[in-house]
Amino acid sequence: MLCKPLKTYSEIRIKAVKAYLSSGSIKEVALSFNIHPWTLKRWVIWYKEGGEDNLKRGKKYRKPHNRFNARIEKRIMLLKEENPSITLSEAKKILNREGLNVSTKGIWGVWKRYGLTGFLKKKSTPSFLEYIAEIPKTTSDIKDAEKALKKGNIKKAAQILNALPACPMIPFLEKIPDEFLSLPRRVEKLYILFGRISFLELKKKARRLRKQAENKGLFYLFVRVGVLECFALQELQESEKLLLLTHKLKSRLRNKRGIIRGDPNLRFIILILEGQAYGNLLQIRESLNCTRKCKVLLRSFPYIAEGQYWLTTLFSHIGHHKETAELLKQIVSKQKPEIISNYASCLSINGEYRTALATLKKIEIQLKGFTSQASLIRAMCFLGQGKIQKALSFAQLAFKESKKEGFRNQYHIATMILAGGYAALNEKGKAKELLKRPIPLLKKFRMERDLLVRQALLGKISHISCDEKENITPPIRLALLLKKAQETLKIKDYRKAYNYAQSQKIMGYFHLYLLFLPESVHHILSKGKPAHLPSRFLKLPVFLKDIPAYHLRFLGPVRVYRNGKSIRVNLSPKEAAFLIHLFLGQRKEIPLTSIYNNFWKNSKNPERTFSHFLVRIRKYLKLSIRSLYIAKGSFGREKSLYFHSHITTDYQYYKEILAQAKALLRAGEWGFAKREYMSAFKLFRGEPFKKMYDNWSDDKRLEILFGYETEILSFAKKLNSRGRTEEAERLLKKAKRSEGCKM
């Protein structure tokens, strides 16, 4: 019988077995298909064991006749494990001295089977499981192990896997307890668990496995598991430990001449992590040295998109967004969500807000797992476009969507955007508070770069010495240039900061920082010179003082502030209720019929009554008729009331602080979360909507108080679970004193 491809054999097997099942005659069917009856019997047994899929099996793997015995293979493998930088010729000389005449091809074959060399060139990833070459024996044994595991025979599955020279990415490995697995399999299992266990747990497990590998002299394995520990240390911001560990890993890859050899993927990732450690410690010169070495290593990969992406994370980490944007532009066509979302982030930082929003919109469905980052990008874009309410809403949403992983950097950016939003509305007290409040947490995380930016904006540092300049990131330098421009009020200093932001692709940061340092813009505008800022951005209250910005406090006695100053005019309960209704429905058209039905249900002429009422409200708020007006709705809809102004409320601020508290709690920062919870609860100064009895006020009162009660009870439970029963009782008593809060 002629040799045929596997696909043809599979088809013959399936047809022959089906023919037998319908006829029941082995001999007749075997004769018709020109095969031996015993062959057909074997196929029928396969079919009964596993159906048609089992008939598609290939030839069973057979060990080559010239394969080394287990003792020699182990010796050849250990040469590479004990000395990762060893070359083929060096290994051959050692084996020859030991009386083993082995060719370099034979050594290469052993190392490749054990996943120590011969890596797939199309991959550039931190996980070596994704780029070690699979061999037929491995594939066959993995299937056998999976079958044993499905039958509940865990020990047998573990024995099969432990006998393999190397395992690629096999998800079912995580189902086998560590006690049954060999050290290499436990390391591979930890790689599979990466991203699904906490970084604290990852650090502990990786460190334990690294020490075991070191004790056994398995230094290649030592380096591989050490990379996982490095990732955990980076996330936990233990930068000094991270730097020491990367140096230790590199020393294991050095040969006698001090040259680092071995797996280029492994060396590349270690350099990325080392660069991030230097960046955390504000040793930017050393970090940039790591980026140069990474660029050289990238030449080893024909398909460098993944490597370039990892390099962008390092450039972004040290604030070099120009280089980040250039690299991302080259690989954005790969259409991976993480690449596109990072590219959109770069566009927003460069001030290309429309393009950034359009880029996000294209991949909206694919943004699972990146929703918090997407919300921050949108918040940054809307802030730069002068749409403050949208910016504040998306910054708050980013807190709600944030996860423990990546929270620290997102926390800094989100609080900066919130602070910028309040600064834009001339609420300097809140802006300053939002700049200051995260500082203790940033100090704990050792986020020196972000701390320096905040200190520059708060005026705590105004210059950097010549020795420190080379270790300053572009965002910090920009903040210092703008601080100087504010102090000198020289147009040339403003232009210098502007040109620097343009050259470094950080115009988004330029716009953000100006909200805290607006005096230089005031000076330029007073001189009739162009500030080169977006027109809507320039119309914010922080730049134009005649633009009104309002703040409403209604979580207690109603108070209205115009441009930071309290309007000292007593409001009737109906006027106060209407203002709350108006401010909470900002930038939304409010149909007049809903206003009439709510506030003047029994009035004979609600139109005339409301017209006089609206005149009083405009006078109270000192608003023009263009800011608060009645107009016919679009597409022939009924007349509606429109209110165009910049507003904030204490309820909005309450929800923002609460979102931060919950995000901090998810991140495991109990002390900081507790502080935010208490700050949020203090905003309630009494019963909201007191003496306001219209339907809308009744419904809103219940909604707000029910939410407040739920949050108080939830937080009290958390206090009780931590043994803080007295604090919980005090909090509940205080809440009960608020009239209308029935605990």
Side-chain angles (χ1 to χ4, degrees):
M1 188 174 174
L2 294 174
C3 184
K4 297 183 180 181
L6 178 62
K7 185 179 178 183
T8 308
Y9 272 129
S10 300
E11 290 172 357
I12 289 172
R13 288 169 184 165
I14 293 166
K15 286 179 181 177
V17 170
K18 285 183 177 179
Y20 162 72
L21 292 172
S22 61
S23 69
S25 174
I26 286 281
K27 286 184 179 180
E28 287 180 10
V29 172
L31 186 63
S32 66
F33 279 89
N34 194 24
I35 57 175
H36 198 282
W38 288 0
T39 303
L40 181 56
K41 281 182 181 180
R42 185 168 64 251
W43 291 355
V44 171
I45 291 168
W46 288 357
Y47 178 81
K48 288 178 179 178
E49 287 177 348
E52 286 188 18
D53 289 340
N54 205 25
L55 293 173
K56 296 175 184 178
R57 64 168 72 180
K59 285 185 179 181
K60 192 162 183 176
Y61 174 80
R62 291 184 180 179
K63 184 179 176 181
H65 70 280
N66 60 346
R67 176 70 61 80
F68 301 116
N69 64 43
R71 184 185 63 82
I72 296 174
E73 273 210 358
K74 188 175 181 181
R75 176 60 189 139
I76 295 170
M77 177 272 292
L78 285 174
L79 284 174
K80 191 69 172 174
E81 269 287 5
E82 292 170 353
N83 185 5
S85 65
I86 196 171
T87 63
L88 287 167
S89 57
E90 289 169 347
K92 188 177 186 306
K93 287 177 184 177
I94 293 170
L95 291 168
N96 287 343
R97 285 199 297 268
E98 294 177 1
L100 296 171
N101 187 18
V102 184
S103 67
T104 53
K105 185 179 179 182
I107 297 168
W108 174 267
V110 174
W111 287 355
K112 185 176 180 180
R113 281 195 297 280
Y114 278 87
L116 302 172
T117 194
F119 308 118
L120 302 175
K121 292 289 184 181
K122 63 181 180 180
K123 288 283 186 179
S124 172
T125 168
S127 175
F128 72 95
L129 301 180
E130 294 183 34
Y131 59 78
I132 59 172
E134 285 189 41
I135 58 173
K137 171 67 173 168
T138 302
T139 308
S140 172
D141 285 352
I142 286 171
K143 286 181 180 178
D144 292 341
E146 191 172 12
K147 285 177 185 176
L149 191 64
K150 283 179 180 177
K151 291 177 181 178
N153 198 338
I154 296 173
K155 285 186 179 180
K156 185 182 177 182
Q159 285 172 357
I160 295 169
L161 294 176
N162 289 339
L164 293 176
C167 265
M169 184 71 77
I170 47 173
F172 71 85
L173 184 61
E174 64 178 288
K175 296 178 182 177
I176 302 175
D178 285 357
E179 60 194 86
F180 297 115
L181 295 174
S182 63
L183 182 59
R185 296 300 88 84
R186 276 181 276 154
V187 171
E188 290 156 1
K189 178 183 174 181
L190 195 58
Y191 265 92
I192 293 168
L193 292 172
F194 177 64
R196 293 159 59 187
I197 59 175
S198 71
F199 284 103
L200 189 60
E201 187 181 354
L202 178 68
K203 182 183 80 168
K204 290 176 181 177
K205 287 189 173 184
R207 180 172 294 172
R208 187 163 56 247
L209 291 173
R210 179 171 61 83
K211 288 182 178 178
Q212 289 175 17
E214 188 174 30
N215 292 336
K216 291 185 176 183
L218 304 176
F219 296 120
Y220 215 128
L221 197 64
F222 167 88
V223 176
R224 281 174 165 170
V225 73
V227 166
L228 285 179
E229 189 180 345
C230 285
F231 274 111
L233 291 171
Q234 165 59 21
E235 183 61 28
L236 297 168
Q237 293 293 309
E238 298 180 30
S239 302
E240 290 91 350
K241 290 180 181 178
L242 172 58
L243 200 57
L244 286 171
L245 183 54
T246 55
H247 290 170
K248 190 179 284 188
L249 299 182
K250 283 167 66 179
S251 70
R252 290 299 182 188
L253 297 175
R254 279 196 178 89
N255 62 13
K256 292 177 182 178
R257 291 180 293 171
I259 300 170
I260 299 175
R261 293 187 178 276
D263 178 2
N265 279 284
L266 208 53
R267 287 183 281 148
F268 179 79
I269 288 299
I270 290 170
L271 277 171
I272 292 287
L273 290 161
E274 183 185 10
Q276 290 179 342
Y278 278 126
N280 292 341
L281 298 169
L282 271 185
Q283 298 178 31
I284 306 301
R285 183 175 59 181
E286 287 81 0
S287 187
L288 287 171
N289 188 37
C290 290
T291 64
R292 284 189 286 271
K293 291 177 182 177
C294 285
K295 283 182 177 179
V296 174
L297 269 175
L298 275 179
R299 297 170 193 165
S300 302
F301 313 125
Y303 303 90
I304 59 174
E306 290 172 324
Q308 281 183 319
Y309 171 72
W310 281 99
L311 188 53
T312 63
T313 64
L314 178 51
F315 274 122
S316 177
H317 193 76
I318 57 176
H320 283 246
H321 297 285
K322 180 181 177 181
E323 291 83 352
T324 306
E326 288 171 359
L327 282 167
L328 284 170
K329 200 170 184 179
Q330 295 172 27
I331 60 174
V332 73
S333 59
K334 298 296 176 185
Q335 296 297 318
K336 289 190 175 182
E338 62 270 22
I339 294 176
I340 297 175
S341 60
N342 280 5
Y343 182 60
S345 178
C346 270
L347 291 170
S348 69
I349 289 169
N350 189 29
E352 299 177 54
Y353 305 124
R354 285 187 180 179
T355 314
L357 291 170
T359 303
L360 278 184
K361 195 171 183 180
K362 286 178 185 176
I363 59 159
E364 203 156 6
I365 299 171
Q366 303 170 347
L367 280 173
K368 276 188 177 180
F370 301 93
T371 50
S372 182
Q373 184 186 8
S375 294
L376 281 179
I377 294 167
R378 290 187 172 102
M380 186 82 172
C381 291
F382 289 129
L383 188 74
Q385 291 177 336
K387 300 174 183 178
I388 303 304
Q389 285 302 324
K390 281 189 174 183
L392 293 175
S393 296
F394 275 104
Q396 181 185 329
L397 186 61
F399 280 119
K400 288 182 180 178
E401 296 167 337
S402 71
K403 298 176 183 177
K404 188 170 183 179
E405 290 76 20
F407 166 75
R408 294 168 184 183
N409 188 48
Q410 290 175 357
Y411 178 71
H412 161 70
I413 297 168
T415 52
M416 283 290 292
I417 291 171
L418 285 174
Y422 284 107
L425 301 178
N426 258 336
E427 295 194 38
K428 295 178 182 177
K430 281 194 180 68
K432 197 172 182 180
E433 183 186 1
L434 282 163
L435 280 179
K436 281 182 174 180
R437 284 173 73 85
I439 285 178
L441 188 64
L442 298 181
K443 283 181 178 177
K444 179 186 174 182
F445 292 161
R446 302 292 301 275
M447 297 172 71
E448 301 294 335
R449 303 178 310 281
D450 304 326
L451 277 170
L452 281 175
V453 168
R454 288 175 186 260
Q455 286 169 349
L457 296 175
L458 289 166
K460 293 183 179 180
I461 56 169
S462 56
H463 68 280
I464 297 292
S465 66
C466 294
D467 296 334
E468 295 174 319
K469 277 184 180 177
E470 62 182 9
N471 284 324
I472 293 303
T473 64
I476 298 171
R477 181 168 169 74
L478 176 62
L480 293 171
L481 287 172
L482 284 172
K483 184 67 180 173
K484 184 181 178 183
Q486 176 173 269
E487 290 169 352
T488 62
L489 292 180
K490 291 180 179 178
I491 294 176
K492 69 173 185 179
D493 288 333
Y494 175 85
R495 296 277 183 255
K496 186 178 179 180
Y498 178 86
N499 292 333
Y500 182 75
Q502 269 201 323
S503 67
Q504 294 299 318
K505 306 285 186 184
I506 50 175
M507 283 303 295
Y509 287 151
F510 180 78
H511 297 151
L512 174 61
Y513 298 166
L514 273 179
L515 296 171
F516 304 103
L517 307 167
E519 283 76 8
S520 56
V521 177
H522 294 162
H523 180 70
I524 286 175
L525 295 177
S526 68
K527 296 289 183 182
K529 302 287 184 181
H532 302 292
L533 295 172
S535 58
R536 187 162 181 169
F537 187 76
L538 267 178
K539 291 177 182 177
L540 291 171
V542 70
F543 299 121
L544 295 179
K545 293 183 179 178
D546 57 334
I547 299 290
Y550 296 94
H551 177 68
L552 172 68
R553 297 174 66 186
F554 67 92
L555 299 179
V558 175
R559 297 283 185 272
V560 182
Y561 298 82
R562 188 180 192 275
N563 291 338
K565 294 181 180 179
S566 175
I567 302 176
R568 298 195 175 278
V569 177
N570 290 327
L571 291 166
S572 68
K574 182 172 283 190
E575 288 171 335
F578 178 79
L579 278 179
I580 298 170
H581 187 52
L582 183 67
F583 277 35
L584 290 184
Q586 189 227 11
R587 292 201 176 279
K588 294 178 183 177
E589 54 182 78
I590 307 174
L592 291 184
T593 51
S594 70
I595 295 173
Y596 299 156
N597 291 336
N598 187 65
F599 293 101
W600 293 280
K601 190 175 182 178
N602 299 319
S603 175
K604 292 181 180 179
N605 193 348
E607 294 90 345
R608 184 172 178 277
T609 306
F610 179 60
S611 178
H612 289 293
F613 183 83
L614 203 58
V615 170
R616 293 200 304 274
I617 293 296
R618 285 199 196 102
K619 186 177 179 182
Y620 173 78
L621 296 176
K622 298 179 182 178
L623 276 173
S624 67
I625 197 169
R626 288 178 297 178
S627 298
L628 183 62
Y629 61 93
I630 296 170
K632 192 173 183 180
S634 54
F635 304 106
R637 287 182 296 193
E638 63 176 304
K639 286 185 178 182
S640 297
L641 178 69
Y642 293 87
F643 178 38
H644 294 295
S645 190
H646 298 286
I647 61 131
T648 57
T649 68
D650 54 352
Y651 184 56
Q652 173 188 344
Y653 194 47
Y654 162 77
K655 290 195 290 184
E656 287 167 359
I657 298 175
L658 208 57
Q660 291 179 54
K662 291 178 179 179
L664 285 163
L665 198 62
R666 285 196 300 274
E669 298 296 335
W670 164 253
F672 295 103
K674 180 188 170 187
R675 183 191 67 179
E676 297 300 321
Y677 269 114
M678 299 308 293
S679 297
F681 296 146
K682 283 178 183 176
L683 291 173
F684 276 81
R685 299 166 289 111
E687 181 191 357
F689 300 96
K690 195 170 184 180
K691 296 182 181 179
M692 301 174 197
Y693 304 112
D694 58 278
N695 292 335
W696 183 87
S697 297
D698 283 339
D699 292 342
K700 203 68 181 175
R701 179 194 294 112
L702 288 172
E703 177 192 326
I704 291 172
L705 290 180
F706 180 75
Y708 174 61
E709 178 181 344
T710 303
E711 297 298 343
I712 286 276
L713 289 171
S714 173
F715 185 62
K717 284 180 183 177
K718 291 181 177 71
L719 287 170
N720 283 323
S721 67
R722 292 174 178 269
R724 300 174 179 269
T725 52
E726 290 183 7
E727 288 182 60
E729 286 173 8
R730 283 200 301 270
L731 185 65
L732 290 170
K733 283 178 183 177
K734 184 181 176 182
K736 284 178 182 178
R737 285 197 296 268
S738 294
E739 195 176 339
C741 286
K742 298 177 182 179
M743 296 286 177

